[in-house]
Amino acid sequence: RNLASRVKVVEETCSSLSLEVVHACHRKEGSTVLAVHDPACRTQKLLSKRNHKATFLYNLHPLDRTRCQYGWCLSFTPHCLRELDGATALDVFVRDLKVCASKAPSRASNSIVSILMKGGAEEPWLFSFLRGNQTFRRVLGPHAVVMTSTGLDSRNDGRGWFLFRF
């Protein structure tokens, strides 16, 4: 119950920061998973630099291409209630979220040019093509795997996803 009530505070913080919670009207009471719209995925990129690893969301509104298609999702566990230097990990996340959201654009188009110009993450834009057209899936699929897996690869020297190592 404590975790669910604390996640509710995070949800309210997101709303106060003009970060729209995905399908907020359908969100179950007590849910510890939070999904948020993030134009250009700038907030998510800034959060990841502060070691908060959120999952990318894409194609959030495939029938309405004028709406924000990108966002991030976090699943909070009881572990986030542990104390870190006098504050819980969840308190640290909320503090960092406020800082990151203030630096992120409140609006952005869904184009790759807009995403890159606003300093956002390009991965969700790329992933959105994997769902539909077979040609895009064949061409972009292997690159998407390499691009995302290099962040997990201990051999990654930080020079970019275009370096293939086997």
Side-chain angles (χ1 to χ4, degrees):
R1 291 179 188 258
N2 188 23
L3 177 61
S5 64
R6 298 291 302 276
V7 172
K8 183 71 173 168
V9 171
V10 176
E11 179 183 3
E12 291 166 357
T13 302
C14 288
S15 297
S16 71
L17 295 171
S18 299
L19 294 171
E20 181 185 351
V21 175
V22 176
H23 305 301
C25 61
H26 300 294
R27 193 163 183 276
K28 295 287 185 194
E29 189 69 30
S31 173
T32 59
V33 176
L34 187 64
V36 178
H37 286 103
D38 185 10
C41 287
R42 177 73 174 146
T43 305
Q44 193 277 344
K45 191 171 185 179
L46 292 171
L47 284 170
S48 70
K49 290 181 180 182
R50 293 174 176 255
N51 291 322
H52 303 291
K53 305 300 182 195
T55 302
F56 288 118
L57 299 177
Y58 56 94
N59 285 349
L60 291 174
H61 304 284
L63 300 178
D64 186 0
R65 302 304 292 173
T66 61
R67 293 190 64 188
C68 176
Q69 297 295 320
Y70 311 116
W72 51 266
C73 177
L74 274 176
S75 177
F76 297 97
T77 65
H79 192 61
C80 71
L81 297 177
R82 72 191 185 284
E83 291 281 329
L84 297 171
D85 298 327
T88 66
L90 197 57
D91 294 334
V92 172
F93 173 76
V94 170
R95 183 190 68 218
D96 290 345
L97 177 63
K98 289 177 181 177
V99 171
C100 295
S102 69
K103 295 178 182 177
S106 59
R107 299 188 62 96
S109 74
N110 295 317
S111 72
I112 187 64
V113 173
S114 175
I115 291 169
L116 294 175
M117 288 186 67
K118 296 194 185 292
E122 65 278 357
E123 291 94 334
W125 179 84
L126 178 66
F127 294 156
S128 66
F129 289 101
L130 298 178
R131 181 178 170 142
N133 190 323
Q134 287 289 341
T135 304
F136 283 120
R137 191 176 307 164
R138 285 191 192 113
V139 172
L140 296 177
H143 297 293
V145 170
V146 169
M147 190 169 80
T148 57
S149 65
T150 55
L152 304 173
D153 188 359
S154 62
R155 298 173 295 164
N156 181 14
D157 59 4
R159 289 188 288 166
W161 62 271
F162 48 87
L163 297 174
F164 295 91
R165 294 191 178 188
F166 299 101

